[in-house]
Amino acid sequence: MRLMVLGLVSSLQPVHGHDIRRGLLAYDGRPAMSVPAGSVYHALRKLTQEGLLEPVETERNGGRPERTTYRTTPAGVREFRVLLRRYWWQYQLPSDPFLSALSFLPSLPRAEAVRALRTRAGILWSFAEQQRRDLDDGAVCRPEHVDWQLERALRWFECEADWCVEIADRIEDGMGVHDADLPQHAPAVLGEAAPDTLEGTRAGHDPRPRPSPTAGNRATAPA
């Protein structure tokens, strides 16, 4: 957000928040991206407080709320160039909550995991189709590098959608292990208990305390 706002203000200045929000949606290349207006105006206020932007004028048209236009300060131009080169020369892994959920795939029943992956693939294919329509829309005049952004997003969506279908097929074929596939422990027999820790399994004994047959005394499992 910081880079995009500074870059858009630098390109369009003087510019107000409404046009910056439209620019974020147009230049980011992701139709699924949600850019709340509140986030844009919060970023404008924060960057202004930091001395990277400055207000040019505030105007009101009829009964509409006041609108302030902004431009970059010399410090804002420097910050934009630093961020621009940082993101061009470095790579940051995308943050997607799905990756965390994928770590716990065995906790889902097989059938549900298959349905979820196929549903996710359908969503991704719909995003890809939107990118394809945007690329084919000859009525829109935009810089060539914006088309490259759309192409990148299109390939990203298609690639992950294909992966989702492939993994769903593997799970459906019985690959992988899910909690429901694991045998449940039988109830403990009187005086015995199945090991419930790795250490107990290796040592061949139950590491939990056992009740002593002698009243009033307490004993633990042998070491």
Side-chain angles (χ1 to χ4, degrees):
M1 177 70 80
R2 188 180 183 87
L3 172 65
M4 291 296 293
V5 171
L6 285 172
L8 286 168
V9 175
S10 297
S11 302
L12 306 173
Q13 59 186 331
V15 63
H16 51 73
H18 178 70
D19 285 340
I20 291 174
R21 183 169 181 264
R22 291 175 58 189
L24 286 170
L25 290 168
Y27 278 83
D28 189 77
R30 289 179 293 171
M33 180 183 182
S34 175
V35 185
S39 299
V40 173
Y41 291 108
H42 173 74
L44 290 171
R45 287 194 297 270
K46 189 174 189 318
L47 293 170
T48 300
Q49 292 169 359
E50 295 178 15
L52 304 178
L53 297 179
E54 61 183 6
V56 177
E57 64 176 352
T58 300
E59 61 182 5
R60 182 193 298 272
N61 292 325
R64 295 181 178 178
E66 289 184 343
R67 295 200 303 184
T68 301
T69 54
Y70 296 86
R71 65 187 174 198
T72 52
T73 63
V77 173
R78 289 193 297 271
E79 176 72 3
F80 167 67
R81 291 174 178 169
V82 167
L83 293 174
L84 179 64
R85 287 183 169 84
R86 177 185 302 167
Y87 297 140
W88 262 95
W89 287 91
Q90 297 179 4
Y91 182 80
Q92 293 186 4
L93 291 173
S95 177
D96 185 350
F98 171 71
L99 298 180
S100 297
L102 181 60
S103 302
F104 300 98
L105 171 61
S107 298
L108 280 181
R110 282 184 179 274
E112 182 179 355
V114 169
R115 290 196 305 270
L117 284 167
R118 295 195 190 285
T119 299
R120 183 179 178 87
I123 294 171
L124 291 165
W125 275 322
S126 69
F127 289 165
E129 182 58 31
Q130 179 60 55
Q131 301 297 90
R132 192 175 292 105
R133 286 196 296 267
D134 291 342
L135 279 166
D136 294 341
D137 187 356
V140 178
C141 181
R142 55 179 173 253
E144 192 172 23
H145 69 272
V146 175
D147 278 349
W148 298 342
Q149 287 177 282
L150 295 173
E151 290 173 5
R152 176 187 177 276
L154 170 62
R155 295 184 187 184
W156 181 288
F157 292 140
E158 288 181 333
C159 180
E160 185 171 349
D162 291 342
W163 174 87
C164 286
V165 172
E166 181 179 341
I167 299 303
D169 289 343
R170 293 181 189 177
I171 296 173
E172 204 167 36
D173 289 342
M175 297 178 66
V177 177
H178 291 250
D179 288 350
D181 303 330
L182 300 176
Q184 300 298 315
H185 291 294
V189 181
L190 183 62
E192 294 183 341
D196 63 349
T197 66
L198 181 59
E199 291 77 8
T201 302
R202 288 176 176 171
H205 67 271
D206 183 4
R208 296 172 296 181
R210 295 182 182 178
S212 170
T214 305
N217 292 332
R218 301 176 65 185
T220 59

